[in-house]
Amino acid sequence: MPEDVMVPAGDYKLVKQIRRTQRRKKDLPWTKRVFDIDEQKLFGRTAFAWLRITLYYLFLYFLIFLIVAFWVTILLLAIIDPKKPRWLKGHPGLSMVPNQNRSVLEYFTHLANEVNPIADRIDDCLNKLNDNAIDFFSDFNQDTTWGYATGKPTVFIKLNKVIGFQPETYDTPDDLPKNAPSSLQGTVGKLGNTPKIWLTCEVTEGPKPDMVFYPGPYFEASEEMTGVTRVVAIQMNKMPKNSKVFFHCKVWARNIPIDNYQGTGHLKFALNMRFDKDSNQASTHKSTTPRQDPVPPADGPAEPNKGRPEDQLGGLEMPPSPENERDALDKMGYNPQKEDMTEPPS
């Protein structure tokens, strides 16, 4: 039947044309699919189509960038203070100088290779404060080893710095908690005229030395606690020798809790000042044995000196020393100059 007489039924003719177009595209070579010079298409798109889609994505990403930049600016300038850290810590912790990797800080007072490293760690920590801390605590450093060579060791309790922390202090003895030591009440009554974070240290085990605090058993409370205001020096006078002494130090403030963890409101450490009497006397004092004058040689045969190990060895009598050998030969009547020669010298 001729096509001009045929009457299309529904969308059959349109679907047939679409199938024919798709079949024609599949039959194209790959070079035509990349760049079709007849239809002026690149990867199936004309130049105008590529321009439209490029402008669309440029506008979309530019809009996303503006939104992100706007909220970042709001957070940095309006919400976060540029002079404070982004994440604020709750309360400061405690640390001790010289820090120790062992449970007990042991050292010999007469050994420089044990005392000097301890003093160097203290100097390094105080220099990092940038507040002339070594000169500030110079009264405890008369021997340049912070007392570790002279039996007066000094430890430093440091309150770690937390930016933005505002301490809430106990200003009167009545404000102190019930578990506070009784000695702290008298200290607060005498020195409680300005806000302070109080420090107490007690011996939990071992002989008790005399503890001297400098500048005092407290930290000056302020929002900007810097330099030496965060450090308290404790000198141990009358430190017991060859005994382990365990200390427990606590800080007292309303917003500094005392937890079970080391360094959270409290600090535990131990010292053991080793003292070797024999080694110390040998290194610091000279021998007290009186000096003996030399004994003149006797008229008789010289006796071996029993005090000299080179004159007597293993219980065997050794020959006389060279200086005594000539005297012994003279006593025997031997004189090489007076002896008659029976043969001419060879």
Side-chain angles (χ1 to χ4, degrees):
M1 182 178 294
E3 292 185 3
D4 53 353
V5 182
M6 295 176 59
V7 178
D11 298 333
Y12 173 76
K13 186 175 182 180
L14 182 60
V15 173
K16 188 176 181 180
Q17 289 179 355
I18 293 174
R19 289 177 180 175
R20 187 182 300 114
T21 304
Q22 292 176 352
R23 190 180 299 111
R24 188 182 303 160
K25 289 182 178 179
K26 291 180 180 180
D27 295 338
L28 290 175
W30 67 270
T31 55
K32 282 281 189 179
R33 296 178 184 178
V34 175
F35 180 68
D36 190 354
I37 193 172
D38 297 332
E39 298 184 4
Q40 296 182 354
K41 291 183 178 180
L42 179 65
F43 292 103
R45 296 181 184 273
T46 62
F48 182 69
W50 280 112
L51 179 63
R52 286 183 303 174
I53 194 171
T54 302
L55 293 177
Y56 170 77
Y57 279 106
L58 286 177
F59 176 77
L60 176 63
Y61 288 116
F62 179 73
L63 185 62
I64 295 175
F65 172 77
L66 288 180
I67 295 174
V68 173
F70 172 77
W71 285 110
V72 169
T73 304
I74 293 297
L75 291 174
L76 293 178
L77 298 181
I79 299 178
I80 300 177
D81 191 349
K83 297 182 179 180
K84 295 182 179 180
R86 183 167 299 179
W87 304 102
L88 296 178
K89 189 179 178 181
H91 52 271
L94 283 180
S95 60
M96 189 199 81
V97 180
N99 54 351
Q100 54 185 3
N101 297 326
R102 299 168 294 177
S103 58
V104 181
L105 179 60
E106 295 183 323
Y107 64 95
F108 281 92
T109 57
H110 65 281
L111 295 181
N113 58 350
E114 293 191 6
V115 173
N116 291 339
I118 297 175
D120 293 339
R121 291 202 299 268
I122 295 176
D123 292 340
D124 293 340
C125 179
L126 295 181
N127 287 328
K128 292 179 181 178
L129 297 176
N130 298 325
D131 198 14
N132 295 326
I134 294 181
D135 296 336
F136 183 78
F137 297 107
S138 60
D139 291 342
F140 291 168
N141 193 24
Q142 299 296 329
D143 59 349
T144 67
T145 61
W146 299 101
Y148 284 87
T150 56
K152 297 180 180 180
T154 301
V155 298
F156 295 83
I157 307 299
K158 184 176 68 172
L159 192 67
N160 299 333
K161 184 178 180 180
V162 176
I163 299 177
F165 175 77
Q166 184 62 41
E168 299 176 2
T169 59
Y170 298 108
D171 299 330
T172 60
D174 297 334
D175 298 336
L176 293 174
K178 296 181 180 180
N179 59 345
S182 58
S183 59
L184 183 59
Q185 296 183 358
T187 304
V188 175
K190 295 178 181 179
L191 305 175
N193 50 357
T194 57
K196 295 179 177 66
I197 301 175
W198 305 102
L199 175 67
T200 59
C201 290
E202 57 183 2
V203 176
T204 58
E205 183 179 347
K208 184 177 180 181
D210 294 338
M211 290 181 283
V212 180
F213 296 81
Y214 186 81
Y218 55 81
F219 302 93
E220 290 290 348
S222 64
E223 185 175 355
E224 297 181 358
M225 297 179 64
T226 58
V228 296
T229 59
R230 297 190 295 114
V231 180
V232 172
I234 306 176
Q235 187 180 61
M236 309 298 177
N237 294 329
K238 299 180 181 180
M239 184 68 184
K241 302 174 182 178
N242 300 321
S243 298
K244 294 182 180 180
V245 183
F246 292 84
F247 300 88
H248 190 193
C249 298
K250 298 180 182 180
V251 292
W252 301 91
R254 297 179 185 273
N255 54 350
I256 301 181
I258 300 177
D259 296 338
N260 295 328
Y261 297 101
Q262 174 80 344
T264 307
H266 70 105
L267 184 68
K268 295 180 180 180
F269 62 94
L271 297 176
N272 186 7
M273 187 179 68
R274 305 293 298 274
F275 183 81
D276 192 348
K277 183 178 181 181
D278 296 336
S279 299
N280 191 56
Q281 289 180 353
S283 61
T284 57
H285 300 286
K286 296 182 180 179
S287 177
T288 58
T289 304
R291 181 180 179 182
Q292 296 180 357
D293 296 332
V295 180
D299 295 338
E303 297 181 357
N305 188 3
K306 296 182 180 181
R308 297 173 58 186
E310 61 270 16
D311 293 339
Q312 187 175 1
L313 181 62
L316 298 177
E317 187 174 348
M318 303 298 293
S321 58
E323 61 270 13
N324 296 329
E325 183 178 1
R326 184 174 180 180
D327 296 337
L329 293 176
D330 292 341
K331 296 296 183 180
M332 296 171 60
Y334 175 75
N335 190 350
Q337 296 180 358
K338 296 180 181 180
E339 184 178 0
D340 296 335
M341 297 178 62
T342 57
E343 295 181 2
S346 58

